Amino acid sequence: MHNWKKAILKESNTMQEAVEVLNEEALRIVMIVNDDNKIIGAITDGYIRRGLLKHLSMRTPISEV
């Protein structure tokens, strides 16, 4: 059984970390939270692909994606 709480990252986490969560969790989405743990967005594999097409590094913070 997957734990949805594992699919939450801070906006300062990297695209690489988001890809790892996407691969490990069955939800197919990563929820992004700010420092107050309020949801500010979501990342899917489509956003990661578009970031790579724009030549963003896997070390790019997900807040820039």
Side-chain angles (χ1 to χ4, degrees):
M1 175 151 245
H2 292 277
N3 183 348
W4 63 268
K5 292 179 182 179
K6 291 181 181 179
I8 298 174
L9 292 177
K10 297 276 188 181
E11 57 189 327
S12 59
N13 285 98
T14 65
M15 285 188 359
Q16 177 67 42
E17 292 167 309
V19 168
E20 290 170 5
V21 170
L22 287 168
N23 283 334
E24 293 171 10
E25 300 304 319
L27 295 175
R28 304 249 193 236
I29 191 169
V30 176
M31 300 308 296
I32 310 305
V33 297
N34 62 15
D35 290 333
D36 297 325
N37 288 324
K38 292 186 180 184
I39 295 174
I40 59 170
I43 294 285
T44 63
D45 62 338
Y47 287 103
I48 300 295
R49 284 194 306 270
R50 285 187 284 281
L52 292 172
L53 287 172
K54 291 180 181 180
H55 304 288
L56 296 179
S57 164
M58 290 299 284
R59 287 182 248 136
T60 301
I62 51 180
S63 61
E64 293 182 31
V65 180

